[in-house]
Amino acid sequence: LCRGTGTAVLGVNLGHVGFLAEADVEDLHEIASRVIAGDLEVEERLTVDVVVSVGGEVIAHNWALNEATVEKASRERMLEAVVEIDGRPVSRWGCDGVVCATPTGSTAYNFSAGGPIVWPEVSALLMVPISAHALFARPLVVSPDSTLAIEIVGETTTGIVWCD
């Protein structure tokens, strides 16, 4: 709701690990008082723009703060994903999905999928296969200006895109 408005967001840690969460629940009263008093520091965070196309036609456009993930739509099949960075083919993975994460999202789904934790001030994007059935499926760290593409190939399965 706040994207594009210039309004700052205060993250409250309700879990275990997280770069977005600057406050713990037990400190919330003190932190809220500091915010009201103007005693705060605002950090800019990298986001990703997401475009989904089928047959060359754009069918969805969204954005994500943590990650955009392409996952298999049915649990009994693997996705066959061809991944590209900046228009160059990188690999083909039989997998459950692929996570494309920001540094903020590096402690979210990326972390659970085996990707690296990246400090929020580092300008980078992450691409991590989920449960890949391949010997050489490793997490990738690329420029924040890169275009990451995931093409689902084959007729036996479909994918779904999640933006968080």
Side-chain angles (χ1 to χ4, degrees):
L1 295 173
C2 293
R3 185 173 193 237
T5 67
T7 302
V9 174
L10 174 65
V12 178
N13 188 3
L14 300 175
H16 301 288
V17 181
F19 280 144
L20 184 60
E22 296 296 327
D24 290 321
V25 173
E26 56 271 8
D27 301 326
L28 195 54
H29 182 72
E30 175 190 339
I31 291 183
S33 296
R34 287 181 48 204
V35 168
I36 292 167
D39 180 18
L40 61 113
E41 181 180 324
V42 177
E43 298 177 351
E44 295 286 326
R45 295 294 177 99
L46 181 67
T47 60
V48 292
D49 287 318
V50 180
V51 176
V52 179
S53 62
V54 176
E57 179 185 341
V58 174
I59 62 167
H61 188 230
N62 208 334
W63 70 281
L65 175 63
N66 283 329
E67 75 274 325
T69 305
V70 176
E71 297 179 19
K72 61 185 183 176
S74 66
R75 53 183 321 248
E76 63 272 358
R77 301 243 185 239
M78 285 193 304
L79 285 180
E80 279 296 319
V82 174
V83 296
E84 295 180 352
I85 298 173
D86 296 329
R88 290 180 235 136
V90 173
S91 194
R92 181 178 178 141
W93 298 320
C95 58
D96 286 349
V98 181
V99 177
C100 298
T102 67
T104 300
S106 72
T107 58
Y109 199 179
N110 166 80
F111 181 65
S112 297
I117 294 175
V118 176
W119 203 252
E121 287 84 14
V122 174
S123 292
L125 291 174
L126 310 165
M127 180 182 266
V128 181
I130 303 168
S131 301
H133 191 68
L135 290 175
F136 302 106
R138 308 300 306 158
L140 301 168
V141 180
V142 301
S143 164
D145 300 319
S146 290
T147 299
L148 300 115
I150 303 162
E151 180 183 355
I152 306 305
V153 295
E155 303 285 328
T156 61
T157 189
T158 57
I160 187 166
V161 178
W162 297 101
C163 296
D164 178 20

